[in-house]
Amino acid sequence: MLVRNATLVDGRSGIDLLVQEGRIAALGPSLAAPPEAEVVEAGGWLLSPPFVDAHFHMDATLSHGLPRVNESGTLLEGIALWGELKPMLTQEALVERALAYCDWAVARGLLAIRSHVDVCDPRLLAVEALLEVRRRVAPYIDLQLVAFPQDGLLRAPGAWDQLVRALDLGVDVVGGIPHFERSAADGTESVRRLCELAAERGLRVDLHCDETDDPQSRHVETLAYHAQRLGLQGRVTGSHLTSMHSMDNDYVAKLLPLMAEAGLHAVANPLINITLQGRRDGYPKRRGMTRVPELLAAGVNVAFGHDCVMDPWYALGSADMLEVASMGLHVAQMTSAAAMRQCFDAVTTNAARVLGLEGYGLEPGCRADFVLLQARSPAEALRLRAQRLVVVRGGKVLARAPQAVMSLNLAGRPAAVDFTRHPG
Ligand code: FE2
């Protein structure tokens, strides 16, 4: 395959990209197309590595309304509602919903997803379903699974054994939820046990950590402590970290360098944080999202996750990581040119670092996975939620869409309405 005349995320334009045997063989201006190569005319549009979702719940997705909707809109009613739904789940329905979501993902150029999977079910029904889904979507999507004790590692009977069983079955990452344990001490203990388990098995860690508006929820400090103590730098992620939004600034000033020293990754989930957090506030209402620009400035890798799509916690969403990044941009007021680029990176390269994806990127030797966006720059892609014109995986086209145009033309230009042009 030869992709001709693309613009890259770093601003280089007029770039051709040559694919051989599923990898990027060359990148530069005016490359020759080998005989019989499939030529993709990029037309100057933006060629990006695929979107990566660093935090999702594929076992719950597309279950909105089953058996009822979340009336309060809170995290805790969502957890209770998921508890009502769990006994009704069947493996067939879980697989069908997850595969339907994966279709959406591919169409949106989202080709790598880290999904938490609830292990607080002695049958491990969702674990087995998502392992099956991981196998079936492997040609299209890197699906990484996290063993997630939704009801608490120490709080839910049998959770530890089920988590270990899930890892034995092939689940990739160790999960947890320290702020949901019965006490802060139990939360601290759960972080220690989970990090030690990951260190023993050579696995990564990704905890739902401090997903609360309580500024005293400080399990991220313990997570950084054990990551550093056990030599797990670069392999441990704190997801949500919403309590950091409400923490005392002096405490955060101590915490940020400790997180950077421990090589923690941070994942914010802007759509979910802005809807679930601050629910008990009067006005002014807190936004609840963690301190993204400050974490980045401290040297912490920050990614954005979708977290939920049409499930007990969130009735909206469509696998569109540009929507996720746009919400993150707005909530964190990341409006400078450099900050908008950081928001784009949070759903591409930074998220790939969270997952530890091999061969990710648009450089020679990388996997030939990319998406052609109908935009001229990352900021424009965010502004337009740009159409995904072509989605490629391993040098094969998985999805195509026509350019988004309409024929109404009040400005009197010769072509159809072009959202990428402006008169100024
Ligand atoms: Fe989550």
Side-chain angles (χ1 to χ4, degrees):
M1 172 185 285
L2 183 79
V3 181
R4 195 140 49 197
N5 186 23
T7 298
L8 302 184
V9 171
D10 63 13
R12 282 179 287 166
S13 60
I15 299 294
D16 297 350
L17 182 145
L18 180 67
V19 174
Q20 281 174 341
E21 294 172 2
R23 297 259 164 183
I24 297 171
L27 194 82
S30 308
L31 298 181
E36 297 177 22
E38 179 181 6
V39 176
V40 174
E41 294 291 348
W45 296 122
L46 182 67
L47 191 72
S48 168
F51 295 108
V52 179
D53 185 352
H55 187 113
F56 193 61
H57 294 264
M58 204 174 277
D59 50 358
T61 196
L62 306 190
S63 67
H64 177 65
L66 297 175
R68 60 184 179 83
V69 298
N70 182 338
E71 291 297 339
S72 68
T74 58
L75 171 67
L76 293 181
E77 185 176 341
I79 293 174
L81 184 47
W82 174 239
E84 292 170 37
L85 177 57
K86 264 196 268 189
M88 301 176 205
L89 294 174
T90 65
Q91 185 155 1
E92 296 71 35
L94 281 161
V95 169
E96 190 184 332
R97 287 197 286 264
L99 291 177
Y101 185 78
C102 288
D103 279 337
W104 294 8
V106 170
R108 297 288 201 194
L110 169 54
L111 301 187
I113 301 173
R114 174 180 278 183
S115 175
H116 297 252
V117 52
D118 189 357
V119 298
C120 288
D121 161 20
R123 303 169 298 167
L124 292 183
L125 201 68
V127 169
E128 288 185 355
L130 287 200
L131 286 168
E132 167 70 8
V133 170
R134 186 180 69 181
R135 190 184 63 75
R136 285 169 67 173
V137 303
Y140 317 104
I141 295 174
D142 291 303
L143 177 58
Q144 193 176 78
L145 299 177
V146 185
F148 175 45
Q150 169 78 76
D151 301 326
L153 183 76
L154 303 173
R155 186 169 170 177
W160 174 264
D161 290 344
Q162 285 148 213
L163 183 139
V164 169
R165 255 171 60 214
L167 297 175
D168 289 342
L169 288 169
V171 169
D172 308 278
V173 179
V174 177
I177 185 165
H179 58 277
F180 195 71
E181 303 292 350
R182 285 196 177 86
S183 66
D186 274 6
T188 302
E189 173 66 7
S190 80
V191 175
R192 182 186 68 78
R193 288 195 198 181
L194 292 164
C195 288
E196 289 180 355
L197 179 65
E200 275 165 29
R201 294 189 170 219
L203 298 177
R204 290 172 181 263
V205 178
D206 188 340
L207 305 188
H208 282 66
C209 194
D210 305 322
E211 190 183 2
T212 162
D213 295 315
D214 175 6
Q216 297 304 320
S217 188
R218 295 177 169 190
H219 296 294
V220 61
E221 179 188 281
T222 308
L223 187 62
Y225 172 77
H226 289 298
Q228 193 273 338
R229 177 178 71 87
L230 296 165
L232 292 171
Q233 286 90 346
R235 306 179 65 82
V236 177
T237 298
S239 278
H240 289 291
L241 304 175
T242 52
S243 73
M244 285 182 70
H245 186 94
S246 300
M247 282 175 184
D248 178 83
N249 289 339
D250 288 319
Y251 176 70
V252 173
K254 179 195 171 199
L255 176 64
L256 288 174
L258 291 174
M259 292 173 68
E261 176 197 40
L264 286 197
H265 305 277
V267 176
N269 296 294
L271 294 165
I272 306 310
N273 301 151
I274 199 68
T275 46
L276 292 184
Q277 304 309 136
R279 286 279 178 161
R280 292 182 193 84
D281 287 4
Y283 288 94
K285 271 184 196 292
R286 286 168 291 176
R287 299 174 192 183
M289 192 169 79
T290 195
R291 303 190 188 201
V292 175
E294 293 78 7
L295 283 160
L296 287 166
V300 176
N301 181 49
V302 182
F304 291 150
H306 207 319
D307 199 4
C308 303
V309 170
M310 300 193 71
D311 70 9
W313 295 272
Y314 189 62
L316 303 166
S318 67
D320 185 352
M321 295 309 294
L322 286 172
E323 183 188 12
V324 171
S326 177
M327 179 59 77
L329 183 161
H330 285 83
V331 173
Q333 300 177 328
M334 294 174 70
T335 52
S336 72
M340 285 199 270
R341 169 66 196 277
Q342 288 177 318
C343 290
F344 190 85
D345 291 347
V347 293
T348 51
T349 49
N350 293 8
R353 284 176 65 197
V354 171
L355 271 68
L357 288 182
E358 180 275 327
Y360 179 89
L362 291 191
E363 296 298 333
C366 289
R367 287 159 47 172
D369 300 355
F370 41 80
V371 54
L372 185 67
L373 298 164
Q374 191 184 351
R376 305 285 180 193
S377 67
E380 191 167 78
L382 287 163
R383 180 172 71 84
L384 298 172
R385 318 280 193 281
Q387 179 85 316
R388 283 67 165 170
L389 298 172
V390 185
V391 178
V392 172
R393 165 98 164 171
K396 293 196 174 64
V397 174
L398 297 186
R400 279 182 194 274
Q403 297 192 14
V405 292
M406 56 185 257
S407 56
L408 175 70
N409 192 359
L410 298 175
R413 294 188 184 280
V417 171
D418 180 352
F419 291 103
T420 67
R421 294 184 61 170
H422 61 91

